[in-house]
Amino acid sequence: MTAGFACVGRRSWRGRDDIRAVGDSLAASEIAVGQMLVSPMSRARESAELLAAALAPDDVRVNERLVAKNSGHLGEKSGDLAAVEATRQGMPIHQLRSPGGDSSEDVQARYVRLLNDVCSGPHRTTVLVGHGGGIACLLLHLTGQSLGRYLEYVPESAGLTWIEVDEGRPRIQVMNARPTALTDHLQLTARAAR
């Protein structure tokens, strides 16, 4: 689950509506949520509040590994500047770690460690409320794709990815579903599970 378009502060109106639609679709599917792990960033916490109202999870906790990428001193500047800096340093952009920041590889490692912890923990439905970049990095890992394909995997506002864990191995069931198409995806997933 991704946290929406507003970069700081509160979610956008569209983002709140998208999250409500996701929560309503999941609730209508009668999915029992055991735990919800949430990025400490304000948009994700707001998303989690909206989801928790619809899903009533047993446990909601902030997890630092879900925080969005910190671009360090490049954070307030255009993305093109990061590409220029990576080229200047002779490295792929996903390896660039500006002072005080993370690389995309760092973000991917955090999200993968968290998924591994969830997979090896008690068997229960877990909702991760993170950020598009982190979800994209996780999906690239799960699909065996390079970080060079990052932009192809960044979900839209409130995009939902459903991962089933079977014998400790994660399997993607739904990837980056838009809130408007979520009901169809959930029905197909439920039919396939029968």
Side-chain angles (χ1 to χ4, degrees):
M1 178 80 43
T2 62
F5 283 110
C7 291
V8 294
R10 294 183 48 92
R11 292 183 55 82
S12 66
W13 287 108
R14 175 185 169 198
R16 286 191 289 278
D17 289 346
D18 288 345
I19 288 294
R20 284 186 193 100
V22 168
D24 292 346
S25 293
L26 291 172
S29 298
E30 299 179 5
I31 295 169
V33 176
Q35 70 177 342
M36 186 179 295
L37 303 177
V38 183
S39 163
M41 298 181 87
S42 60
R43 296 175 322 245
R45 288 193 323 267
E46 184 178 359
S47 296
E49 288 174 16
L50 294 169
L51 288 170
L55 301 174
D58 298 333
D59 183 27
V60 178
R61 286 181 281 139
V62 169
N63 190 297
E64 294 290 330
R65 291 178 284 185
L66 289 167
V67 72
K69 180 179 178 180
N70 177 351
S71 296
H73 80 279
L74 295 174
E76 299 297 320
K77 300 181 173 118
S78 97
D80 293 338
L81 190 58
V84 168
E85 182 63 17
T87 300
R88 188 185 69 73
Q89 293 186 29
M91 67 176 57
I93 193 166
H94 60 269
Q95 291 178 342
L96 178 67
R97 183 182 299 110
S98 64
D102 300 321
S103 70
S104 295
E105 290 175 339
D106 296 332
V107 173
Q108 184 177 57
R110 278 199 325 260
Y111 272 69
V112 169
R113 282 193 308 272
L114 177 59
L115 179 64
N116 289 339
D117 288 350
V118 168
C119 290
S120 64
H123 182 71
R124 59 185 176 168
T125 300
T126 300
V127 173
L128 303 179
V129 183
H131 304 277
I135 299 298
C137 289
L138 181 60
L139 290 171
L140 288 164
H141 170 79
L142 291 173
T143 59
Q145 300 296 319
S146 76
L147 285 165
R149 296 188 64 191
Y150 171 83
L151 291 177
E152 297 171 42
Y153 286 79
V154 175
E156 292 188 29
S157 173
L160 181 116
T161 294
W162 182 310
I163 300 169
E164 294 274 336
V165 178
D166 186 25
E167 296 181 15
R169 300 198 64 166
R171 241 182 30 239
I172 298 170
Q173 299 297 315
V174 175
M175 185 166 67
N176 291 343
R178 296 176 53 131
T180 54
L182 186 56
T183 302
D184 294 338
H185 283 290
L186 291 172
Q187 289 172 349
L188 289 172
T189 301
R191 268 190 239 125
R194 290 182 193 138

